[in-house]
Amino acid sequence: MKPQQPHATAEKLIDIAETLFAEKGFYGTSIRDLAEGIGIAKSSLLHHFPTKEKLYAAVLGKLAAEMTAEVKAIRTAAGDEEAQIFRFVQLLCDHSEKKPLRVNILMRELLDNPKRAETAKKWFFKAYFKELATIIRSGQLKGLFKPVHPETFILQLLGAHRYLIISLPTVKQVFDPPVYRHILENHRAELETLVKERLLATAT
Amino acid sequence: MKPQQPHATAEKLIDIAETLFAEKGFYGTSIRDLAEGIGIAKSSLLHHFPTKEKLYAAVLGKLAAEMTAEVKAIRTAAGDEEAQIFRFVQLLCDHSEKKPLRVNILMRELLDNPKRAETAKKWFFKAYFKELATIIRSGQLKGLFKPVHPETFILQLLGAHRYLIISLPTVKQVFDPPVYRHILENHRAELETLVKERLLATAT
DNA sequence: TGACTTGCCTACCGATCGGTCGGTAGAGTC
DNA sequence: GACTCTACCGACCGATCGGTAGGCAAGTCA
């Protein structure tokens, strides 16, 4: 059997796992489904990831690493904290348009994390979260931002965005198309306005 | 067997189901656990609710009915739309302090709803959502509120609140106690400020 | 050549899943 | 007493769960 790229199968597994875990959750997804999804036997999956938990952790780990790297890139890039936070909101919306299922994983992780032993000790998104809080604090020190409580504000900002994203499928099938379309169209602007009005110390 | 109140067992089942579904999700909860939770046999559970889906639907139905009734009560009670929306935010926070697990159910429902056939057709929280949108529109007609897009704003408001609530267990076990405490303490005020700054047409 | 490793396979395990079946105890009705 | 109805039960079903054991083909390296 040709080895292709090393770890190519493992990468494929992480990809399919990201999709299926996002759609059906950890307990709703079987390792059989995952293996069949990329056309290998179930025991072959277990050769790469000895348990379902480990595969799930790999998915979260990869996702968290990508997200954290992005925020750090924003931090070190040009621009003051105001530019950084708007760039962040922009990325948030862009990603959710391209890969809305990722948000599902992040949500499910929050819901299930307190229960699953394997991943309980270290939380994959701690660095991501801290980085964001640092942007806020730094902007506040420069007088760019209002004195909101950084962690609370970030949770509310992420929540305003992510909750809306995971609501979209339901909204689409329950409400009239114009309502759905308006939500889609207005979300980004409303989120930016939220940041403007809640965070920016407007020149007085 | 004394019949106690009629449907007393069914009510107990709905209660325990609300808790377990909230903690572990639909797929993570077995009807055995549910039955044992109130001390009856599994087949007795299936006597009251012929399938797991039906029990889940009963939980959602009861929850949605309560929540919708509350919002309608706010609407008909004294006070203008400004008072109504703040009363709503207040209720939101009060409930989440008393029964934080309920928010988990609402979140999981959004994540799983597009997949489960049984409850797909009618969405239990449609009336609740429409009632909230009506408050916004009504307030806008009177010039009390800014011209935000009502549905988008509500999703962001609910999201800002609910996402933070489901994050609390994780925040508690990952961050230092002061961070957790500050989030707990500041959330309500920050949410009210959010409404003030994003929604209220401040007297100009 | 032969020992070792890697990637994948089939076959199988005990446990648990949601759900069915036949039946029983008790209360109400006639 | 005969009948019906509700609430409940233990035993059982086929299917599926996560995970294990052992083997086979191909590439690596001595």
Side-chain angles (χ1 to χ4, degrees), chain B residues 9 12-13 16 32-42 44:
Chain B
T9 303
K12 273 196 274 184
L13 276 174
I16 187 80
R32 279 173 179 79
D33 293 341
L34 293 167
E36 281 174 15
I38 64 162
I40 64 171
K42 177 170 60 83
S44 303

Side-chain angles (χ1 to χ4, degrees), chain A residues 106-107 109-111 114 123 129 148-164 166 194 198, chain B residues 89 92-97 99-104 106-107 155-173 175 179-192 194:
Chain A
L106 301 175
M107 281 289 180
E109 205 268 335
L110 280 176
L111 290 167
W123 185 48
F129 192 78
V148 299
H149 183 247
E151 281 82 7
T152 307
F153 177 77
I154 287 168
L155 285 177
Q156 291 183 350
L157 175 63
L158 290 176
H161 172 67
R162 291 181 176 166
Y163 184 84
L164 186 140
I166 66 165
L194 188 156
R198 285 289 293 116
Chain B
V89 170
L92 215 54
C93 294
D94 286 349
H95 274 159
S96 302
E97 279 174 24
K99 301 204 172 189
L101 278 181
R102 286 206 165 179
V103 181
N104 286 35
L106 301 174
M107 281 289 179
L155 284 177
Q156 291 183 350
L157 175 63
L158 289 176
H161 172 68
R162 291 180 177 167
Y163 183 83
L164 186 141
I165 297 298
I166 67 165
S167 300
L168 286 179
T170 300
V171 168
K172 184 167 190 177
Q173 79 181 13
F175 290 95
V179 174
Y180 174 71
R181 212 175 52 244
H182 273 103
I183 292 175
L184 260 190
E185 284 168 5
N186 286 301
H187 170 51
R188 189 185 290 246
E190 296 271 3
L191 202 64
E192 282 169 358
L194 189 156

Side-chain angles (χ1 to χ4, degrees), chain B residues 56-199:
Chain B
Y56 189 72
V59 171
L60 286 184
K62 187 187 169 194
L63 189 51
E66 286 179 20
M67 289 168 54
T68 307
E70 274 176 10
V71 176
K72 284 193 173 162
I74 289 179
R75 283 257 295 149
T76 56
D80 61 5
E81 282 76 4
E82 181 180 328
Q84 287 170 18
I85 201 75
F86 279 106
R87 175 78 187 124
F88 170 71
V89 170
Q90 189 185 330
L91 266 185
L92 215 54
C93 294
D94 286 349
H95 274 159
S96 302
E97 279 174 24
K98 261 184 297 180
K99 301 204 172 189
L101 278 181
R102 286 206 165 179
V103 181
N104 286 35
I105 290 238
L106 301 174
M107 281 289 179
R108 293 191 191 275
E109 205 269 335
L110 281 176
L111 291 167
D112 295 336
N113 183 35
K115 292 215 59 74
R116 277 199 329 279
E118 180 81 17
T119 54
K121 276 286 168 279
K122 78 162 190 180
W123 185 48
F124 287 96
F125 300 93
K126 185 170 183 178
Y128 176 78
F129 192 78
K130 286 205 156 186
E131 205 70 30
L132 288 175
T134 307
I135 294 182
I136 306 283
R137 277 189 222 289
S138 172
Q140 285 174 332
L141 283 177
K142 292 191 194 170
L144 293 172
F145 295 159
K146 291 180 184 172
V148 298
H149 182 245
E151 280 82 8
T152 307
F153 177 77
I154 286 168
L155 284 177
Q156 291 183 350
L157 175 63
L158 289 176
H161 172 68
R162 291 180 177 167
Y163 183 83
L164 186 141
I165 297 298
I166 67 165
S167 300
L168 286 179
T170 300
V171 168
K172 184 167 190 177
Q173 79 181 13
V174 168
F175 290 95
D176 298 331
V179 174
Y180 174 71
R181 212 175 52 244
H182 273 103
I183 292 175
L184 260 190
E185 284 168 5
N186 286 301
H187 170 51
R188 189 185 290 246
E190 296 271 3
L191 202 64
E192 282 169 358
T193 311
L194 189 156
V195 172
K196 247 175 243 163
E197 299 186 344
R198 285 289 292 117
L199 190 62

Side-chain angles (χ1 to χ4, degrees), chain A:
Chain A
M1 198 112 296
K2 67 194 70 152
Q4 340 184 28
Q5 285 93 287
H7 307 121
T9 303
E11 285 299 321
K12 273 195 276 185
L13 276 173
I14 290 181
D15 283 348
I16 186 78
E18 184 180 298
T19 304
L20 293 191
F21 282 142
E23 282 175 356
K24 307 196 286 183
F26 182 79
Y27 298 110
T29 305
S30 70
I31 54 178
R32 279 173 180 80
D33 293 341
L34 292 166
E36 281 173 16
I38 64 162
I40 63 170
K42 177 170 58 88
S43 48
S44 303
L45 181 154
L46 291 162
H47 167 72
H48 294 280
F49 298 95
T51 67
K52 193 184 176 185
E53 282 277 358
K54 291 258 179 28
L55 174 53
Y56 189 73
V59 171
L60 286 184
K62 187 186 169 195
L63 190 52
E66 285 179 21
M67 289 168 53
T68 306
E70 275 176 9
V71 177
K72 284 193 173 161
I74 290 179
R75 284 256 295 149
T76 57
D80 59 6
E81 283 76 5
E82 179 179 331
Q84 287 170 18
I85 200 77
F86 279 107
R87 175 78 187 125
F88 169 71
V89 170
Q90 190 185 329
L91 266 185
L92 214 55
C93 293
D94 287 347
H95 275 160
S96 302
E97 278 175 24
K98 261 183 296 179
K99 301 204 171 189
L101 277 180
R102 286 203 165 181
V103 182
N104 286 35
I105 291 238
L106 301 175
M107 281 289 180
R108 293 191 190 275
E109 205 268 335
L110 280 176
L111 290 167
D112 295 336
N113 183 35
K115 291 214 61 74
R116 277 198 330 279
E118 180 81 16
T119 54
K121 275 288 166 281
K122 79 163 189 181
W123 185 48
F124 287 96
F125 301 93
K126 185 171 182 177
Y128 176 79
F129 192 78
K130 286 205 157 187
E131 207 68 32
L132 289 174
T134 307
I135 295 183
I136 306 284
R137 276 187 224 287
S138 171
Q140 286 175 332
L141 282 177
K142 292 190 195 170
L144 293 170
F145 296 159
K146 291 181 185 171
V148 299
H149 183 247
E151 281 82 7
T152 307
F153 177 77
I154 287 168
L155 285 177
Q156 291 183 350
L157 175 63
L158 290 176
H161 172 67
R162 291 181 176 166
Y163 184 84
L164 186 140
I165 297 298
I166 66 165
S167 300
L168 286 178
T170 300
V171 168
K172 183 168 190 176
Q173 78 181 14
V174 168
F175 289 95
D176 298 332
V179 173
Y180 174 71
R181 212 174 53 243
H182 273 102
I183 291 174
L184 261 190
E185 286 166 5
N186 286 301
H187 170 50
R188 188 184 291 247
E190 297 269 3
L191 203 64
E192 282 168 358
T193 311
L194 188 156
V195 172
K196 247 174 243 161
E197 298 186 345
R198 285 289 293 116
L199 190 62
L200 260 52
T202 46
T204 47

